[in-house]
């Protein structure tokens, strides 16, 4: 949504902008171009791999771009450390990035088998494997229902607990197959998405405390906005 972001954010020369979900720096590059010649951008990402990729993309902008490895919920602390009292725009693009989904070793997707991880950065503690292998059945059910809005949360949690007694989960394919087996076949066949989609979403949100960080950010970001500043948030599901 690059055009929509620019229309809403309205970057201008001399402005200071914060991209709290830097990712591949696609939006950040456009913001810097639109605010040329002296607009400034502070880019945050909790994922060191994303930060490294963004750094390469934004090199041509020199010191107009300042990149920090940090969760967007820490934006107030980062800006204070940089001596910035306020910004003219903030952008958040919530959820998982395409780079993370397309890297099997990160464990975000079941399209390609990989380790059951799902941690967006080193600030996340437990992996998805830790959760499914150690949490009680009732807690798994709550996570799947609350963060994935999964109607079969109870059946799936029970099947996971039964399966892990035989052997712990280590890969995304193992979990996806177990979830699919827990859902009645005739109902699974009618779903427009893979039966494991909501469970993977729920685990990702829980492991990375995505809603907790978002809540903190929405409360702390408003005082950081200069007069007439814009706060743009891209979200993809009802929980956000």
């Amino acid at each position: 949504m690059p055009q929509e972001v620019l229309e809403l954010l309205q970057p201008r020369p001399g402005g200071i902008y914060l991209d709290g979900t830097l990712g591949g720096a696609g939006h950040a590059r456009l913001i810097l171009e639109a605010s040329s010649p002296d607009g400034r951008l502070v880019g945050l990402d909790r994922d060191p791999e994303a930060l490294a990729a963004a750094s390469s993309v934004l090199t041509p902008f020199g010191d107009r771009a300042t990149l920090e490895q940090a969760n967007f919920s820490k934006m107030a602390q980062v800006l204070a450390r940089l001596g910035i009292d306020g910004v003219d725009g903030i952008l958040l693009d919530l959820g998982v990035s395409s780079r993370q989904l397309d890297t099997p070793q990160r464990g975000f997707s079941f399209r390609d088998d990989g380790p059951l991880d799902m941690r967006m950065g080193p600030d996340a503690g437990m992996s998805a494997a830790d959760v499914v292998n150690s949490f009680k059945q009732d807690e798994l059910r709550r996570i799947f229902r609350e963060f994935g809005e999964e109607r079969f949360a109870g059946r799936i949690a029970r099947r996971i607990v039964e399966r892990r007694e035989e052997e712990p989960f280590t890969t995304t394919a193992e979990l996806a197959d177990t979830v699919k087996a827990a859902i009645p076949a005739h109902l699974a066949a009618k779903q427009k998405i893979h039966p494991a989609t909501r469970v993977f979403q729920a685990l990702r949100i829980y492991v990375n405390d995505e809603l907790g960080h978002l809540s903190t950010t929405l409360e702390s970001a408003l005082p950081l906005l200069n007069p007439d500043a814009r706060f743009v948030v891209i979200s993809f599901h009802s929980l956000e």
Side-chain angles (χ1 to χ4, degrees):
M1 304 175 65
Q3 191 57 42
E4 291 84 352
V5 166
L6 291 179
E7 289 175 0
L8 291 169
L9 200 60
Q10 296 185 1
R12 57 175 174 75
I16 301 176
Y17 301 91
L18 186 143
D19 185 345
T21 47
L22 193 58
H27 287 126
R29 177 178 58 80
L30 294 175
I31 292 169
L32 285 164
E33 289 175 348
S35 63
S36 180
D38 56 351
R40 182 177 177 185
L41 179 128
V42 177
L44 310 181
D45 206 296
R46 66 195 297 185
D47 185 343
E49 293 183 12
L51 203 66
S55 177
S56 177
V57 172
L58 300 179
T59 295
F61 297 97
D63 59 5
R64 290 179 57 205
T66 302
L67 309 187
E68 297 269 344
Q69 184 180 326
N71 191 294
F72 55 67
S73 63
K74 304 295 184 183
M75 63 174 64
Q77 294 93 316
V78 172
L79 291 176
R81 188 170 68 251
L82 295 174
I84 299 174
D85 297 327
V87 297
D88 300 296
I90 296 174
L91 171 64
L92 300 180
D93 187 356
L94 304 178
V96 66
S97 72
S98 58
R99 177 185 295 272
Q100 290 167 332
L101 284 173
D102 294 339
T103 306
Q105 292 78 14
R106 303 298 300 274
F108 286 101
S109 174
F110 42 77
R111 291 180 305 192
D112 298 296
D113 197 16
L116 190 56
D117 195 316
M118 300 193 192
R119 287 173 290 192
M120 290 182 174
D123 59 333
M126 297 182 113
S127 69
D130 294 328
V131 174
V132 298
N133 286 320
S134 64
F135 280 30
K136 293 182 179 179
Q137 181 175 318
D138 285 347
E139 182 64 4
L140 290 174
R141 177 182 57 78
R142 182 192 69 80
I143 290 171
F144 300 154
R145 187 173 299 280
E146 182 176 338
F147 299 124
E149 301 176 301
E150 173 56 64
R151 63 180 290 201
F152 297 109
R155 295 173 63 107
I156 294 169
R158 183 171 63 251
R159 182 62 69 95
I160 286 174
V161 170
E162 293 171 349
R163 158 66 169 72
R164 76 188 190 193
E165 289 178 355
E166 302 172 5
E167 187 177 10
F169 289 91
T170 59
T171 71
T172 55
E174 291 170 352
L175 179 60
D177 290 344
T178 299
V179 172
K180 185 176 181 179
I183 299 175
H186 68 286
L187 295 177
K190 296 179 181 179
Q191 294 187 4
K192 295 180 180 180
I193 59 176
H194 189 284
T197 300
R198 294 186 182 90
V199 167
F200 271 66
Q201 171 189 295
L203 285 170
R204 190 202 80 222
I205 291 173
Y206 180 84
V207 165
N208 295 288
D209 191 22
E210 293 180 34
L211 298 184
H213 288 299
L214 178 59
S215 178
T216 298
T217 301
L218 294 177
E219 294 177 2
S220 63
L222 295 182
L224 304 174
L225 296 171
N226 292 329
D228 299 322
R230 299 292 185 95
F231 189 177
V232 178
V233 182
I234 303 172
S235 66
F236 294 92
H237 59 78
S238 60
L239 297 178
E240 293 171 343

